[in-house]
Amino acid sequence: MSLLLFSIAVIFYTISQACQHGKLGWGLFWSKDSWKNKYKLNHVGFVKAPNTWYYRTFEIRYKEKFPFSATLLVSLTDGYHLTQFFFKAFLSTSFVTYSTLFGLYDAGLYFVLFGIIFSITYKIIT
């Protein structure tokens, strides 16, 4: 079970990296400018952040489009952050379901599996 969850995590990681490299053009959610989805716009551009403890603490320069869109709920704003969320969720779950197969050799197995899945997935999606 752990290997399967780890493999799914690597797929999501690969998608996030392709998104970060500008290789995905699947619409606004996946574009290079999708990071802008978390901020409020008006007719002039981004709305400047209010001077509150929240915006100062997290160093947010622009007003959020919806509450927590630049922090806690950022995974709902663009493809990169969404795939990062799923990567972390599946990777964490693979840790807690892990049971050794070949002892210390499992490290090599996971290392090789990561490389193979990353390479195949990156080739398929780009």
Side-chain angles (χ1 to χ4, degrees):
M1 178 58 89
S2 181
L3 273 175
L4 175 63
L5 294 167
F6 179 79
S7 300
I8 295 169
V10 173
I11 291 169
F12 280 112
Y13 177 76
T14 307
I15 296 169
S16 76
Q17 292 308 292
C19 183
Q20 194 73 345
H21 298 155
K23 301 283 187 175
L24 297 180
W26 301 344
L28 182 61
F29 198 69
W30 295 100
S31 72
K32 292 181 200 176
D33 292 334
S34 64
W35 63 271
K36 297 175 182 178
N37 293 343
K38 58 185 142 191
Y39 301 117
K40 190 173 186 85
L41 284 167
N42 63 17
H43 64 286
V44 188
F46 291 118
V47 176
K48 189 166 171 43
N51 188 19
T52 64
W53 69 269
Y54 171 76
Y55 284 90
R56 285 191 314 269
T57 301
F58 294 105
E59 299 178 7
I60 302 170
R61 295 173 30 189
Y62 307 112
K63 184 167 177 50
E64 293 177 311
K65 188 175 275 187
F66 56 88
F68 306 112
S69 66
T71 55
L72 185 63
L73 299 177
V74 72
S75 61
L76 302 176
T77 63
D78 61 74
Y80 172 73
H81 287 100
L82 180 65
T83 54
Q84 282 292 297
F85 171 80
F86 283 117
F87 162 67
K88 292 174 192 173
F90 279 99
L91 187 64
S92 300
T93 308
S94 79
F95 291 159
V96 298
T97 60
Y98 172 75
S99 59
T100 187
L101 296 171
F102 306 109
L104 278 177
Y105 294 111
D106 283 4
L109 173 65
Y110 277 76
F111 183 82
V112 169
L113 185 65
F114 187 105
I116 291 170
I117 292 173
F118 183 93
S119 297
I120 291 171
T121 305
Y122 199 86
K123 186 69 174 164
I124 289 171
I125 66 174
T126 60

